[in-house]
Amino acid sequence: MKALWQRLLGGLTMFVESVRMSVANITQNRLRSFLTILGIMIGVTAVIALITTVSGVSTSISDSFTSMGAGTMSVAVTGNDLQAGLTGDNLEQITALSHVTGVIPGVAATVSVARGDAYESEISLAGKNPFYFSTTEAVARGRTLNPIDMDDAARVCLIDSDTVAEFFYGVDPIGQTLYINSQSFTVVGVLADVGQSITEMVSGSNAIIVPYTTALKLSGARLVTSVTVYVDGAAASQTVQTALENYLDALFSYEDDTYEITTMDSIQETMDSMLSMMSALLGGIASISLIVGGIGIMNMMLTSVTERTVEIGLKKAIGAEPAQIQIQFLIEAFLLSMIGGVIGVGLGIALSAVLCKAMGTTFTLSYGAIALGVGFSAAVGIVFGWSPARKASNLSPIDALRRM
Amino acid sequence: MSESSNVFFHMRNIVKSYALGDEEAVILKGVCLDIRRGEYLSVLGPSGSGKSTLMNIIGCLDKPTSGEYILNGSLIDDLTEQELARIRSREVGFIFQNSQMLPKLDAMKNVELPLIYAGVRPRERARRAEEMLVKVGLQERLHHKPNMLSGGQQQRVAIARALVTRPTLLLADEPTGALDQTTGAQIMGLFQELNDDGNTIIMITHDLKVARNARRMVNIIDGELSESEEATLS
Ligand SMILES: Nc1ncnc2c1ncn2[C@@H]1O[C@H](COP(=O)(O)OP(=O)(O)O)[C@@H](O)[C@H]1O
Ligand SMILES: [Mg+2]
């Protein structure tokens, strides 16, 4: 019992002493140690920055999905020969389904806009309904669209600040006339700058919004082919989808391929899996640099073993066991790698904070990523330190001493 | 005390050879040697005769090609690297030909080194290292690095390092080879004291005058060992 205790204490003493010797060796060759850990440092930085940034992007995507309303679904309608889309009445009937809070028809067109001498083609225009304005705080000034605008297919529009700057420099646009595809429209409101949100990056922003009935006329279509259905909570999503399917099946005489319903959940799932695939791929590439870093450490340790042959031989001659020598070199490789890893974690966090700021996504510290970075560098130190340490422990003391 | 318990080590027909291309260089040609506890032996021989090779085998740094070597009752050939390291750590104190010290460590740290691998704790380590350095007369030089010490002082640090583990056997390979006569004489005096205290000492030298300091003397010529007829000082 006492002997075992003595051995444990002796082992601990040895261990502490090994750490001390390793630290001395690392700090004595500062430049070389720094160059050695550079690879690990860059690798860990890359891994942390990637994971944090991708998770930031994915958080803001799912946030914007949530803000669009949980359980929201979009419907693409091709219809049949009798009716190749949805009428205003159809939209009202869908709105009347239980758990449906509203629908937004999506009618998009590219138009030319003119006022006085100013002219611009290729402007993106969207047709919306009053419900659209209850899902977004998109209006800075003036009024939104109302049901009468819809029924009358009124020639009124809301324009964004870029369009204001282009056509109404120094003039209050509200109440002014704008020519869209040569037809006169009255500006009734100005859209707010909502900033570069992920949704806009995905779907593109609209310069002009008009009643959807008006937009149908402008685009030469008669019927709505795309509509977003809002639901009063994710729980009702399945019920609404079934009701919607029943309604559309009946509307299009149970013919095949007349419509397609995509729920936000499924879009989000696809997005999520795409993002995680991307982060796995990028993470894989980043971990290659960790392996390269590991090889750097191995190289340095092998050089170090060769340089210290005499020292190792002498230590063995005065009683160091092979395992004691091996542990000392392993600790040195481990410490080197860990120093690189810890610096890399710091740099990675700083870099991802900067990246998240630049991309406008929220920065959240991922403890998983930190653990991964530190764990990975610890593993790299041990794996790549193993064979040099082994080589050192197997050195023959005689050969070493003959070099004296 | 019975005869056998007094035998410290026992060598029979020790052969050491190296393969040199197709030929075989036989360095030790069947050496037989018995040492009792407390003996002070010098091994005298010209350069290249195999003295260091023999010392390496005695100190368990190297294994013989053939022959039987029993140290303290255990057959060396049967032991693992780790067990050999334990013997070097506990039983043997080495003084190498060039008093090899680690250049980055001061005298204290160099002397403490064997104690680190023996698992001795820091305070005890420092105490014993200092005690040893005082014993070899270096109390003024505890924290000098090797490059700040003279050859004789370095040799004394090496002796302190060899003795700090309280080995049963002190092996010295040409301990006075690099020293002037006065310093050499001081070291010899120290050896005499150590032997008087009961330490077993084997000293290797090519110098007959130095060899005469020991109580028993053997000659080694071209790998063959013989008991010397020459009278020693004591
Ligand atoms: N590893 C080795 N391979 C081949 N020959 C060796 C080796 N080690 C020592 N020798 C040879 O053994 C002989 C004796 O060497 P050594 O024991 O160092 O002599 P001494 O210490 O008596 O001067 C020398 O001729 C030397 O060249
Ligand atoms: Mg020699």
Side-chain angles (χ1 to χ4, degrees):
Chain A
M1 195 55 209
K2 188 155 181 270
L4 182 72
W5 183 237
Q6 287 282 315
R7 282 207 59 183
L8 277 177
L9 260 183
L12 184 70
T13 307
M14 232 306 288
F15 182 81
V16 170
E17 214 52 49
S18 296
V19 171
R20 198 177 292 167
M21 287 192 257
S22 303
V23 170
N25 271 318
I26 290 170
T27 48
Q28 257 157 19
N29 301 305
R30 257 179 225 146
L31 179 63
R32 188 160 86 168
S33 301
F34 174 73
L35 292 175
T36 307
I37 64 175
L38 207 56
I40 290 285
M41 222 169 82
I42 292 171
V44 171
T45 305
V47 168
I48 300 256
L50 269 169
I51 291 178
T52 316
T53 313
V54 170
S55 92
V57 169
S58 106
T59 310
S60 52
I61 287 181
S62 67
D63 281 354
S64 62
F65 274 116
T66 316
S67 75
M68 283 168 74
T72 303
M73 57 195 77
S74 71
V75 187
V77 181
T78 43
N80 57 16
D81 294 341
L82 292 174
Q83 188 185 333
L86 300 172
T87 66
D89 286 347
N90 293 151
L91 294 181
E92 271 171 36
Q93 282 153 1
I94 293 172
T95 311
L97 294 173
S98 66
H99 297 299
V100 173
T101 53
V103 300
I104 299 172
V107 184
T110 304
V111 295
S112 65
V113 177
R115 176 173 181 268
D117 291 338
Y119 174 84
E120 188 80 49
S121 62
E122 305 272 320
I123 289 203
S124 75
L125 171 146
K128 300 288 185 191
N129 64 356
F131 183 70
Y132 168 76
F133 295 95
S134 70
T135 64
T136 163
E137 294 161 22
V139 178
R141 279 183 317 122
R143 70 168 176 88
T144 62
L145 301 175
N146 58 43
I148 301 168
D149 296 330
M150 302 297 134
D151 295 344
D152 295 353
R155 293 220 290 265
V156 294
C157 65
L158 290 95
I159 57 178
D160 71 351
S161 57
D162 287 345
T163 314
V164 172
E166 183 140 11
F167 294 98
F168 297 99
Y169 185 75
V171 182
D172 182 6
I174 308 285
Q176 301 282 342
T177 301
L178 199 60
Y179 288 88
I180 299 176
N181 283 1
S182 310
Q183 300 177 36
S184 70
F185 278 68
T186 304
V187 178
V188 296
V190 176
L191 299 165
D193 287 324
V194 283
Q196 186 80 330
S197 80
I198 292 290
T199 356
E200 272 184 68
M201 276 154 75
V202 174
S203 61
S205 61
N206 296 306
I208 303 179
I209 289 179
V210 300
Y212 80 92
T213 44
T214 317
L216 285 174
K217 284 188 176 168
L218 276 173
S219 66
R222 218 163 41 76
L223 296 166
V224 176
T225 55
S226 151
V227 59
T228 309
V229 178
Y230 284 73
V231 177
D232 63 0
S237 177
Q238 194 53 51
T239 327
V240 171
Q241 189 174 350
T242 314
L244 194 58
E245 279 165 4
N246 291 338
Y247 173 78
L248 292 171
D249 283 340
L251 184 65
F252 298 121
S253 330
Y254 298 94
E255 288 175 36
D256 285 338
D257 299 330
T258 52
Y259 65 89
E260 188 170 300
I261 299 175
T262 315
T263 62
M264 282 304 160
D265 293 353
S266 70
I267 295 177
Q268 200 179 338
E269 268 168 33
T270 316
M271 283 287 226
D272 278 352
S273 74
M274 258 168 59
L275 277 171
S276 53
M277 246 172 67
M278 199 165 91
S279 69
L281 191 77
L282 292 173
I285 294 170
S287 29
I288 291 175
S289 63
L290 279 177
I291 290 169
V292 173
I295 293 169
I297 285 182
M298 183 149 120
N299 185 38
M300 145 98 174
M301 293 307 296
L302 284 172
T303 313
S304 177
V305 169
T306 311
E307 281 174 2
R308 280 144 73 184
T309 303
V310 172
E311 176 192 325
I312 296 163
L314 184 75
K315 285 176 173 177
K316 287 189 86 171
I318 61 173
E321 293 172 23
Q324 289 174 324
I325 298 287
Q326 187 174 2
I327 280 192
Q328 196 205 318
F329 276 84
L330 256 187
I331 289 174
E332 198 167 321
F334 179 80
L335 280 182
L336 269 177
S337 186
M338 281 303 271
I339 293 170
V342 168
I343 297 176
V345 165
L347 287 179
I349 290 172
L351 182 62
S352 41
V354 170
L355 283 177
C356 284
K357 184 133 185 90
M359 304 195 341
T361 60
T362 44
F363 166 72
T364 39
L365 200 55
S366 157
Y367 293 104
I370 294 174
L372 189 78
V374 172
F376 216 136
S377 42
V380 161
I382 291 173
V383 168
F384 288 93
W386 190 267
S387 105
R390 184 96 207 153
K391 185 181 164 193
S393 76
N394 284 335
L395 277 182
S396 143
I398 322 266
D399 293 347
L401 292 172
R402 286 219 175 262
R403 288 211 205 167
M404 295 192 329
Chain B
M1 230 185 269
S2 77
E3 174 72 12
S4 68
S5 75
N6 243 351
V7 171
F8 184 53
F9 76 68
H10 167 90
M11 278 184 157
R12 274 292 156 275
N13 293 323
I14 293 292
V15 173
K16 181 74 187 177
S17 58
Y18 294 101
L20 283 179
D22 291 342
E23 293 184 23
E24 197 174 43
V26 184
I27 310 299
L28 297 178
K29 298 166 180 166
V31 171
C32 299
L33 184 63
D34 284 316
I35 297 282
R36 276 176 289 111
R37 262 175 222 287
E39 245 187 310
Y40 184 0
L41 174 84
S42 63
V43 179
L44 177 67
S47 180
S49 55
K51 304 185 295 294
S52 294
T53 307
L54 178 64
M55 188 189 92
N56 289 339
I57 291 173
I58 294 172
C60 298
L61 280 173
D62 206 355
K63 282 185 176 179
T65 312
S66 71
E68 188 184 61
Y69 176 29
I70 295 169
L71 177 74
N72 243 350
S74 34
L75 186 63
I76 293 308
D77 216 31
D78 291 346
L79 302 182
T80 64
E81 267 294 316
Q82 184 180 335
E83 288 165 328
L84 292 176
R86 291 257 165 85
I87 291 179
R88 293 198 292 267
S89 172
R90 286 171 199 173
E91 309 280 352
V92 186
F94 279 105
I95 300 164
F96 300 107
Q97 211 156 351
N98 299 315
S99 75
Q100 193 69 25
M101 290 172 73
L102 294 187
K104 286 170 193 158
L105 305 182
D106 65 15
M108 278 287 282
K109 288 286 169 202
N110 265 291
V111 176
E112 279 185 41
L113 210 54
L115 296 177
I116 290 176
Y117 295 107
V120 178
R121 267 166 294 161
R123 205 170 294 165
E124 170 76 359
R125 226 155 56 200
R127 194 187 62 71
R128 278 165 68 175
E130 187 172 346
E131 185 186 285
M132 231 39 247
L133 282 166
V134 170
K135 192 167 180 182
V136 297
L138 285 179
Q139 55 275 14
E140 311 285 313
R141 302 280 187 277
L142 297 182
H143 298 290
H144 284 52
K145 298 225 169 128
N147 60 3
M148 300 187 288
L149 295 170
S150 73
Q153 288 167 336
Q154 285 191 36
Q155 194 66 299
R156 281 192 262 173
V157 176
I159 293 168
R161 186 182 61 196
L163 292 174
V164 78
T165 53
R166 299 181 191 129
T168 40
L169 173 64
L170 181 64
L171 290 175
D173 194 351
E174 316 233 11
T176 57
L179 303 183
D180 60 76
Q181 267 189 340
T182 328
T183 330
Q186 281 173 2
I187 301 285
M188 285 305 102
L190 190 60
F191 275 29
Q192 194 55 60
E193 279 175 41
L194 289 168
N195 182 236
D196 292 345
D197 290 350
N199 287 287
T200 313
I201 301 176
I202 297 179
M203 178 175 67
I204 277 163
T205 182
H206 63 265
D207 185 339
L208 178 62
K209 268 184 262 160
V210 173
R212 277 185 178 148
N213 285 291
R215 289 204 218 149
R216 180 181 161 200
M217 203 160 82
V218 291
N219 289 319
I220 183 166
I221 294 166
D222 205 11
E224 288 184 90
L225 193 94
S226 56
E227 209 74 27
S228 175
E229 303 301 322
E230 188 93 30
T232 58
L233 294 181
S234 45

